[in-house]
Amino acid sequence: MQTLKRRRAPAGTTGKRPRRRRVTRPKISGRRLLIAAVATFLLISVGRSVLPALGIEAPGLPSFGGGGDTPTEAPTTKAPKAPTVDLNGVMVQGGGEPMITLNPGLVRLGGTVTASGSGFDQGSVVDVYLGPSATAAQPSKKSAKNAVKPVQVGTAKAGKYGIFTVNFPFPTKMTTPVLEVTAQARGSDKVAKAEAAVAQGAGQATLSAVVGKPGDVINLTVKGFSPGEELQVFWGRINGDPALTLKADEDGSVGKTPIKVGVTAVGTTSLVVVGKTSGAAASAPFQVLRLYPSIKLAPYAVKATQSITFSGVGFAPGERVLVRLNSAGGQPVMAVTTDGAGGFKGAGLTMPYQLKGAQALVFIGEQSRAATSTGFTILPYTPQARTNAYGGLPGTVVNFYATQFAPNEAVHVYVKTSKGAKGDLVSAFRVNKSGAARAVGQYTIPGDTENSVIFELRGQLSGSTATINFKVDSSGGPVDIPTPKPYVLPKDLEK
């Protein structure tokens, strides 16, 4: 170990230390102390209030009431309350009030909802709750115990300008048609509410086939509805009479159920299932094929008063088929109803006298609008007639035989002395239901008749004509036969 040696004093001196020179400090007056204290106070105040407001940090400055330099919680900034103003006759807040909006506002069960808030205090903690709407029907006393209570679904911190955003999942079961979202700031009276409507259509519908034509049978499966509720099934619409009515089981489902493809527009459509109690709806897409109806008609040629019969297939099941003549519009001449397979048979029409020649019947399904047509022909009547003799002398009395006139029609007999002459009505008779008559009518050949007489027999309903040439033999001289009186047509032989 090194030994420290005592340093000797220089020669000519004693061993004593020299005395220190006393320094005289200036005296500080009380006025100066007061000025220094005030300056220190101002420096700390400015550092704690003015500098942070200007965005300038002042490290090392103590926190008043905060327990030192490290604050335990960030301070909140309260927004000033806005005045109430009159806008278009309505008293509204001028701004700054807490508010939340929902996106989407029409919510599907199980979906995600975004709540956006504003107007809260900057830095405040906001709790978000989901519960029944105050405008919804209140539960009865019996069901009060089972009533849905608000549930906290999220928490957010209001940022600059008091804005926050929070996402939360919506329930998967329908409890009420409208739910209310509430945003409540902790330790504050600031609260905002918004209503979320539950989208109708939580159910699901599944079909065993996605393509078919009206009348085809497919299977329908349904789930996601209220237990035990009545379900109405529609094709391509949600109103009117349902194509089928079902009842959900205790799980709100319906197993495979046969259903006929309904009448709707050709192309892409939907089968729609609507819950009568819950109002929930489900749909399944379906491609409707075109109908190709056809008609079988017999016979294809008839006369007036005769009937044609027809049968049809390929229409929609249970629909009326409208039958029109020579037109696709206007008043139908008849209507027939199809069976469960979309067909009909045994229908017919009796043809009137006014129709002549080629005709067409048009068949259109009243609901499906499926259309087809078929043609037929109206044949004319071609009667035949003769007298009781092929010829004779003047004074011969003749009567008439006729066939193939229209049933039960009146036949008028005209006499012409030459072709092209107008002819005079000299007799009339009525044929039977077969259009025939025997030894009917009467006419006496005049005494001055020469060569021949032409008889024209005209059917008054059919408009058909039969002509008879009666040969008059020469009498060799004048024949004294009284001139017949003009023929008077009886009323019952007018038609």
Side-chain angles (χ1 to χ4, degrees), residues 138-481:
Q138 297 299 321
S140 61
K141 292 182 179 180
K142 293 183 179 180
S143 61
K145 294 182 179 180
N146 300 324
V148 180
K149 298 180 180 179
V151 177
Q152 185 173 352
V153 293
T155 301
K157 188 174 183 179
K160 195 174 183 181
Y161 309 117
I163 295 174
F164 73 88
T165 300
V166 63
N167 298 321
F168 62 90
F170 215 70
T172 57
K173 292 183 179 180
M174 179 185 295
T175 56
T176 177
V178 179
L179 291 176
E180 188 173 69
V181 179
T182 303
Q184 173 69 61
R186 292 183 186 177
S188 172
D189 60 351
K190 290 201 170 185
V191 61
K193 297 178 181 291
E195 287 188 342
V198 180
Q200 304 300 315
Q204 296 181 8
T206 305
L207 298 175
S208 61
V210 295
V211 177
K213 65 180 185 299
D216 288 350
V217 179
I218 58 177
N219 290 324
L220 168 66
T221 303
V222 177
K223 62 181 180 179
F225 288 84
S226 297
E229 76 170 319
E230 182 179 304
L231 306 178
Q232 295 181 327
V233 182
F234 301 91
W235 281 99
R237 54 187 174 84
I238 57 173
N239 53 16
D241 296 329
L244 185 67
T245 300
L246 305 174
K247 186 174 182 180
D249 59 19
E250 59 184 6
D251 295 326
S253 303
V254 176
K256 289 184 177 180
T257 302
I259 180 175
K260 288 185 177 181
V261 177
V263 177
T264 185
V266 173
T268 303
T269 186
S270 297
L271 178 139
V272 182
V273 182
V274 179
K276 193 171 182 180
T277 302
S278 65
S283 63
F286 192 83
Q287 185 75 19
V288 180
L289 301 178
R290 182 180 302 177
L291 292 170
Y292 291 94
S294 61
I295 298 293
K296 183 179 180 180
L297 184 145
Y300 284 96
V302 293
K303 296 179 180 179
T305 73
Q306 294 179 346
S307 298
I308 57 174
T309 59
F310 38 83
S311 301
V313 294
F315 291 93
E319 73 170 334
R320 290 203 320 162
V321 177
L322 306 180
V323 184
R324 295 181 173 90
L325 181 69
N326 299 323
S327 175
Q331 182 71 22
V333 296
M334 69 176 301
V336 292
T337 302
T338 61
D339 56 23
F344 65 89
K345 57 183 177 180
L349 286 170
T350 299
M351 296 297 105
Y353 287 107
Q354 292 80 5
L355 294 180
K356 311 291 182 183
Q359 308 292 326
L361 285 176
V362 181
F363 300 81
I364 300 178
E366 189 174 34
Q367 293 179 315
S368 67
R369 308 304 298 172
T372 187
S373 63
T374 185
F376 64 98
T377 301
I378 301 293
L379 299 175
Y381 280 91
T382 55
Q384 296 181 1
R386 56 169 294 183
T387 56
N388 54 344
Y390 289 103
L393 295 167
T396 301
V397 176
V398 299
N399 47 35
F400 306 94
Y401 293 77
T403 59
Q404 299 182 33
F405 277 96
N408 301 311
E409 72 173 331
V411 177
H412 296 179
V413 180
Y414 292 85
V415 171
K416 297 192 296 183
T417 56
S418 62
K419 290 183 179 181
K422 182 179 180 181
D424 297 320
L425 179 63
V426 296
S427 183
F429 58 89
R430 187 175 297 279
V431 297
N432 59 20
K433 63 180 180 180
S434 299
R438 299 177 182 87
V440 292
Q442 183 175 312
Y443 179 71
T444 302
I445 302 299
D448 57 351
T449 304
E450 298 179 357
N451 298 325
S452 65
V453 174
I454 299 174
F455 294 102
E456 189 175 88
L457 284 65
R458 303 174 186 173
Q460 296 305 294
L461 293 175
S462 65
S464 57
T465 301
T467 302
I468 304 171
N469 287 319
F470 185 87
K471 182 175 173 48
V472 179
D473 297 332
S474 176
S475 61
V479 180
D480 187 12
I481 298 176

Side-chain angles (χ1 to χ4, degrees), residues 4 17 29 38 91 101 154 197-198 227 245 315 383 390 465:
L4 297 176
R17 293 182 179 180
S29 65
V38 172
M91 301 303 294
T101 57
V198 180
T245 300
F315 291 93
Y390 289 103
T465 301

Side-chain angles (χ1 to χ4, degrees), residues 114-126:
T114 300
S116 301
S118 62
F120 289 83
D121 294 333
Q122 180 178 341
S124 62
V125 178
V126 182

